[in-house]
Every structure is written in C-alpha cells, then in structure tokens.
C-alpha cells in the first residue's frame, strides 16, 4: 500500500524542488563509500546503502554517518530538521538486482511499528525500476517520492536494467489515525 506523500509529509514534497542538487551530490560519492546490505540472502545482485542518519543504535550502517554527511552536505542540510525522521540515506541497486519480498523490522527501543518508508528516485532507469508494496506495484521516477509502510506490508524492489538505480530513502514516524492513503 502506497501513501500520499503530499498529504502526509509535505516537507518531503519540498525536497523535490532540490532534486537536481541531490542527484549531483550523491552521484559524486564514490561507490566504495557505500556499505553493502548485510544480509546477502535478502537480495540477488548488488545492494548497498549510504546512511546519513539513523536512530537505530544497533545498526552498523550508521558507523560512517559523519563521513557520509560530509560527502553529502546539501542533502544533509535539507533533511536534518525533518520532523519524525528515523533514518535517512541513499540506496544503490546494481543492474539486474532484486530485493526479495520482505517486511521491515523495527527496533522497539526506537519506535514501535508506525513508520513510513519514503523513497525519492535519484537515478532511475525509466520503466525498469519496479517496487511492490502490498498488492500495489509502482515504478520509481526520478525526482518523485513513493511512500509505503514497510513494516505492515510486504514489499520488494528491483532494477531490471543495465544501469544502477539510486534512491533517497527517508523513514518517518507517523500517527496511524492521521495517515491519508
């Protein structure tokens, strides 16, 4: 199930205005700075992340946050004051990668189960970057957000092209009584 970003998280819609700067900045970061996803059984192909912020204390991906923020200062300046942020980073999928169906785990010390994963397409092979949340399928689009509840709904993503796919990922807490789908 996808959610309406504009109605639920208007601050994120503002970030779309900065798409070109975000893209230029993250594409200049060397791939060696990304951290491969820890569970190789969760995907086929290549999947890595570049974390700028996380509230998850047991997440090893956060060890290089300061270095990553220095590499992406414009991005960090745009996202550092987002209300309710739980995690901010970039996700890289190599060509012909499939992240298998899964539900995200939450750290009960940080939040219970009410968070939305919001992804903005940064470098997206047109028509070849599907994502499924629940029973809905969509495509990543450069400069546009997709939001879904990754805890409550099984989801999977892919890159069916010969080019890499990069998204900006922001996880935000939400009030279920106020969520607009």
């Amino acid at each position: 199930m996808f959610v309406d970003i504009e109605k639920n998280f208007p601050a994120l819609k503002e970030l779309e205005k900065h798409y070109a700067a975000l893209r230029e900045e993250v594409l200049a970061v060397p791939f060696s700075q990304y951290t491969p996803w820890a569970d190789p059984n969760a995907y086929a192909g290549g999947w890595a992340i570049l974390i700028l912020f996380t509230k998850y204390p047991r997440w090893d991906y956060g060890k290089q946050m300061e270095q990553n923020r220095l590499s992406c200062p414009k991005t960090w300046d745009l996202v550092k004051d987002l209300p309710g942020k739980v995690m901010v980073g970039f996700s890289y999928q190599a060509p012909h990668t499939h992240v298998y169906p899964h539900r995200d785990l939450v750290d009960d010390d940080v939040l219970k189960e009410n968070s939305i994963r919001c992804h903005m397409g940064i470098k997206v092979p047109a028509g070849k970057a599907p994502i499924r949340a629940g029973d809905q399928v969509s495509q990543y689009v450069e400069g546009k957000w997709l939001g879904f509840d990754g805890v409550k709904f099984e989801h999977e993503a892919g890159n069916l092209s010969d080019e890499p796919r990069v998204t900006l990922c922001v996880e935000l807490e939400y009030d279920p009584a106020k969520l607009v789908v």
Side-chain angles (χ1 to χ4, degrees):
M1 173 189 83
F2 293 99
V3 300
D4 188 312
I5 295 291
E6 190 167 1
K7 291 178 182 173
N8 292 291
F9 307 107
L12 289 182
K13 284 300 284 184
E14 285 298 307
L15 286 177
E16 288 181 357
K17 296 175 185 175
H18 302 278
Y19 161 72
L22 295 168
R23 178 184 165 99
E24 180 180 357
E25 186 171 76
V26 74
L27 293 183
V29 174
F31 180 71
S32 61
Q33 196 167 327
Y34 282 73
T35 303
W37 190 255
D39 180 3
N41 296 315
Y43 60 96
W47 182 23
I49 58 176
L50 184 85
I51 297 298
L52 304 181
F53 174 83
T54 182
K55 280 187 173 181
Y56 298 120
R58 294 182 287 275
W59 230 31
D60 286 341
Y61 302 111
K63 289 181 179 174
Q64 295 181 293
M65 285 189 300
E66 290 303 321
Q67 177 186 350
N68 296 342
R69 290 176 191 166
L70 291 173
S71 297
C72 299
K74 292 176 194 169
T75 304
W76 179 242
D77 190 53
L78 289 167
V79 300
K80 68 182 176 188
D81 296 323
L82 282 174
K85 73 181 178 301
V86 178
M87 186 280 300
V88 177
F90 290 95
S91 173
Y92 172 96
Q93 278 190 357
H96 307 287
T97 293
H98 178 204
V99 175
Y100 299 135
H102 65 284
R103 285 193 169 133
D104 296 323
L105 301 175
V106 295
D107 185 329
D108 286 338
D109 294 338
V110 176
L111 74 151
K112 299 300 179 205
E113 58 185 42
N114 297 319
S115 70
I116 295 289
R117 275 64 173 168
C118 304
H119 297 177
M120 178 198 283
I122 298 294
K123 179 177 178 16
V124 177
K128 298 199 178 242
I131 179 169
R132 178 185 63 82
D135 62 358
Q136 295 178 328
V137 177
S138 191
Q139 287 280 332
Y140 286 107
V141 175
E142 290 186 356
K144 301 295 178 194
W145 288 100
L146 287 171
F148 59 96
D149 187 326
V151 174
K152 293 184 179 86
F153 293 91
E154 181 183 79
H155 55 284
E156 64 185 310
N159 178 1
L160 308 175
S161 78
D162 295 328
E163 305 276 328
R165 187 221 75 190
V166 178
T167 55
L168 172 59
C169 302
V170 177
E171 180 182 353
L172 298 169
E173 294 178 73
Y174 74 95
D175 178 349
K178 296 180 181 177
L179 188 67
V180 178
V181 292

